[in-house]
Amino acid sequence: MVIKWRNGVLPVAAAALVLVAATGCVSTPGAPAAEPTAAPSAARSVARVCAKPAAGPEKAPAGAVTVDPAVVGDLAAKTKGHPPNTTFWLRPGKHRLDPDRYAQVIPKEGDRYLGAPGAVLDGRKKNQYAFGGTARDVTISHLTVQRFVAPTDEGVVNHDSADGWVIEHATIQDNSGAGLMAGARQRVRASCLRDNGQYGMNAYKAKGRISGLVVEGNEIVGNNTGDWERRRKGCGCTGGIKFWAVNGADIRGNWVHDNRGTGLWADTNNNDFRIEKNVFEANDGAALIYETSYNAVIRNNTIRRNNWVEGRREAERGDNFPYSTVYLSESGGEPRIKARTDKIEIYRNVLENNWSGITLWENADRFCNSPANTSSGDCTLLVRDTDRCAKPAIAKAPLYADCRWKTQRVDIHDNRFVLDKSVVKCTVKCDRMAVLANYGTYPDWSPYQGERVAEAITHKQHNRWHDNVYLGPWQFVAQDPSRVLDFGQWQITPYQQDAGSTLRARDGG
C-alpha cells in the first residue's frame, strides 16, 4: 500500500469483443518537424464488453448437464453430484443458491460452466461467494455473476485463489469485496468487471505466489463503489485490479475506466509485468501504480483524463507532492531477479490531459524492518528474512542496498505527453513530471537518513527520460517537491534529463 508522505499525507485497472473506432489527440499544427519517434497520437480502440457482452450457447453442448434456474441450489447440487471435468450449461434466467450466506458452488477439477444468453447467477445480497474451493482448471464463461456480498479483501469468483481458472466472456458486477480473486495461470479474457464494491479483481493468494497471470481484452469499470480509501484512509485496498506478489503478468488490450480510485495497482513484490495496448481513462486516481515491485514493460497504452479527482483534491488541500497518473513508488529494474526485462521501461504511450504525468518516488524511511514500511512483515525479493535488516548489518553491503525497494533503472522514452489546462480545469500542480524522495529521518537507527536516498534516486540509480514529445506547459520536479524546474533546467547539469526530447510549451492539442 502507499507509504505516507511526511506528516501523514498520502503521496500517492478477439472476435467476441466489439472494437469501436476511437478518437484522440491530434498533433498541434506547426509542431517541430523533426520530433523523436513517439507513440501514435490517435487513441487506441477500446473493448466495450459491458455494453455488448458476447452471447453464450443457446442450446446445451453435447454431454453437458443442464442447470434449471427454477430450482434453488440446482447449480451447486449438480456440481456436487457429478465427476470432475463436467460441463454445466445454465439455462436463461436467474439462478440462485441456497439462502445460507456460505452456500456456494464448489467445482471439481476441469469443470466448465457455460451460460446461455440471459443466464445470471444472483447472490441476492445474501450469499457471500459464488464459486470457491481449490479445484484447478475451472472455466466460467458467458455467465453474469452479481449481487454477492463477499467480505472486505475477499472475492466472489474463485474465492480461494485456485490455479488455472479461465474466466471469459463473463460479467461480474455489483458485488461487495472483489468480483474475482486470482490463482496461478489464471486467464481473464473479454469479460466485464463492473461496479464491484472494492476491486474488480484482487490478484492475491494467501499461500504461494501467483504466476503466469493473463488479463486480456476486458472492460474494468466503476469499481470501488464502497470508496474504501475514504473509509479507511491510506489503506491501499482498492483498484480496478490490485496485484500482490504476482510473478509474471500480461495485462493487455483492456479498457480500464471510471474506477473510483486507481485503475491498476501492483503492490508489494510483483515482478515481470507487461502492461500494453490498454486504454486507461477517467479513473478518479492514478491510471497505474507500480509499488515496491520489480521489472516491467509499460508500452503502447493510451492514458487520458485520469487522476482529476484525487490529484485535484490533494492540490486544493495545499499538498505540494507531485501526484501523478503513472506512479512508480519504490519500484525498479533488478537484474538479479529473473524476468523478461531487467528494468522498468515506459515507452510509446500517449498520456493526454491527465493530472500530471509520471512520478518516480522513493521513501527514504521505507525499507525492510522499518516501522515506516506499510507492507508490514514483507521484505524485498533479495532478502527473504526481514530480521536481517537491522543494525549494525544493514549499514553495510550487501544489506544496505538489498534491504530497500529501490526506484532504479527506469527508462522513460518515446512517449507523447499532452496537457491542455483548460481541459483539465487546473492552474497549478497538474503539470508535473518528477523524480524525488523525502529527507530520511526514521527510525533513529536507519542508515538512510538525510539526503542519501534523494540524491541516489535523482542522480545515481539510472532513472532516465529521453526522446519524448511534450505538448503543453510542463514542469519538472527533481530530488524533493520544492525543486521545480523548467524544461531547460531539467535538461542540463546536474539532472541531464530528456535528451532528444522536444517541448512545445503552450497548451497541448
Side-chain angles (χ1 to χ4, degrees):
M1 57 191 68
V2 175
I3 188 69
K4 292 186 178 181
W5 165 254
R6 294 187 178 175
N7 297 320
V9 181
L10 285 169
V12 199
L17 299 180
V18 179
L19 297 181
V20 180
T23 59
C25 167
V26 178
S27 299
T28 304
E35 290 181 341
T37 302
S41 61
R44 189 169 303 282
S45 298
V46 295
R48 300 185 181 273
V49 181
C50 296
K52 295 184 179 180
E58 294 185 355
K59 296 181 179 180
V65 174
T66 297
V67 182
D68 187 352
V71 179
V72 173
D74 197 38
L75 180 59
K78 285 180 175 172
T79 296
K80 184 176 181 180
H82 285 81
N85 299 300
T86 297
T87 296
F88 300 90
W89 179 70
L90 285 74
R91 289 183 181 274
K94 191 171 289 186
H95 296 256
R96 296 160 293 167
L97 302 175
D98 290 335
D100 180 84
R101 63 185 297 187
Y102 297 111
Q104 59 189 288
V105 181
I106 307 294
K108 298 182 175 73
E109 185 170 335
D111 281 350
R112 301 178 70 235
Y113 298 87
L114 307 179
V120 176
L121 180 60
D122 193 329
R124 298 174 290 167
K125 299 294 183 181
K126 294 181 179 179
N127 306 116
Q128 290 191 172
Y129 316 122
F131 293 91
T134 58
R136 296 177 175 232
D137 303 327
V138 172
T139 297
I140 298 170
S141 65
H142 300 100
L143 180 64
T144 294
V145 180
Q146 65 183 30
R147 300 206 305 159
F148 286 80
V149 285
T152 307
D153 298 325
E154 298 186 35
V156 169
V157 174
N158 197 10
H159 169 258
D160 298 295
S161 301
D163 295 339
W165 283 40
V166 176
I167 294 91
E168 57 188 359
H169 309 298
T171 297
I172 302 174
Q173 64 184 11
D174 299 323
N175 301 289
S176 301
L180 274 172
M181 300 299 286
R185 298 177 289 102
Q186 183 157 299
R187 305 289 189 268
V188 185
R189 299 191 181 107
S191 293
C192 171
L193 309 182
R194 174 169 62 188
D195 296 339
N196 296 290
Q198 189 178 7
Y199 305 104
M201 181 170 76
N202 186 14
Y204 170 80
K205 192 175 178 72
K207 294 183 179 179
R209 301 186 72 193
I210 296 170
S211 60
L213 178 64
V214 174
V215 181
E216 181 176 18
N218 305 283
E219 184 172 353
I220 302 160
V221 54
N223 296 290
N224 186 28
T225 60
D227 198 9
W228 281 96
E229 301 293 340
R230 179 185 58 78
R231 294 165 68 177
R232 295 183 183 176
K233 186 171 177 58
C235 72
C237 61
T238 57
I241 299 180
K242 191 79 183 278
F243 305 89
W244 310 83
V246 174
N247 185 32
D250 290 277
I251 316 298
R252 57 179 175 253
N254 303 284
W255 186 19
V256 184
H257 68 102
D258 294 285
N259 293 286
R260 177 177 281 179
T262 303
L264 302 182
W265 190 343
D267 187 353
T268 310
N269 287 340
N270 297 280
N271 175 51
D272 195 14
F273 273 50
R274 286 189 176 175
I275 302 169
E276 57 188 347
K277 299 181 180 179
N278 303 284
V279 175
F280 297 87
E281 187 169 24
N283 297 288
D284 285 0
L288 173 65
I289 298 176
Y290 205 69
E291 182 178 0
T292 53
S293 295
Y294 302 89
N295 301 325
V297 172
I298 302 166
R299 64 187 176 193
N300 296 322
N301 300 285
T302 297
I303 303 171
R304 57 195 180 198
R305 301 192 302 279
N306 296 280
N307 203 29
W308 286 16
V309 174
E310 293 188 2
R312 191 184 318 278
R313 181 180 64 212
E314 299 307 324
E316 289 174 350
R317 291 173 176 171
D319 193 344
N320 197 37
F321 189 88
Y323 292 88
S324 62
T325 285
V326 176
Y327 179 48
L328 271 59
S329 176
E330 296 89 28
S331 291
E334 177 49 75
R336 291 174 291 173
I337 298 173
K338 185 178 179 181
R340 290 167 288 183
T341 182
D342 61 3
K343 59 184 177 179
I344 293 182
E345 190 172 15
I346 304 173
Y347 68 100
R348 292 188 63 81
N349 302 285
V350 176
L351 288 87
E352 179 182 359
N353 290 328
N354 301 286
W355 190 280
S356 288
I358 298 173
T359 288
L360 308 187
W361 160 255
E362 193 169 328
N363 188 308
D365 300 330
R366 186 180 193 182
F367 54 92
C368 302
N369 214 21
S370 168
N373 177 23
T374 53
S375 298
S376 302
D378 287 298
C379 199
T380 69
L381 294 181
L382 300 171
V383 182
R384 300 305 178 101
D385 183 0
T386 301
D387 291 339
R388 293 180 61 203
C389 297
K391 64 177 183 180
I394 193 174
K396 299 178 181 179
L399 293 180
Y400 179 83
D402 293 351
C403 284
R404 63 177 304 110
W405 295 270
K406 291 190 289 187
T407 302
Q408 64 179 7
R409 298 173 60 84
V410 181
D411 189 5
I412 302 168
H413 65 92
D414 294 291
N415 302 285
R416 185 178 183 89
F417 300 103
V418 180
L419 177 63
D420 185 339
K421 288 187 174 181
S422 69
V423 174
V424 183
K425 294 182 173 57
C426 70
T427 56
V428 295
K429 299 182 181 178
C430 64
D431 53 3
R432 295 176 292 177
M433 207 74 57
V435 53
L436 76 166
N438 59 323
Y439 188 92
T441 60
Y442 181 76
D444 58 8
W445 53 269
S446 168
Y448 311 110
Q449 294 187 18
E451 295 282 355
R452 296 179 184 184
V453 174
E455 286 281 346
I457 189 175
T458 307
H459 301 294
K460 301 176 183 178
Q461 291 179 183
H462 308 288
N463 297 314
R464 183 169 175 245
W465 280 257
H466 62 97
D467 298 299
N468 298 295
V469 174
Y470 295 90
L471 297 175
W474 289 94
Q475 294 185 313
F476 304 86
V477 178
Q479 195 153 333
D480 67 69
S482 67
R483 200 168 302 189
V484 181
L485 314 171
D486 63 27
F487 190 54
Q489 293 169 320
W490 177 245
Q491 287 189 304
I492 64 174
T493 303
Y495 307 108
Q496 295 184 316
Q497 292 291 358
D498 265 317
S501 298
T502 62
L503 171 71
R504 188 174 182 88
R506 69 179 184 83
D507 284 351

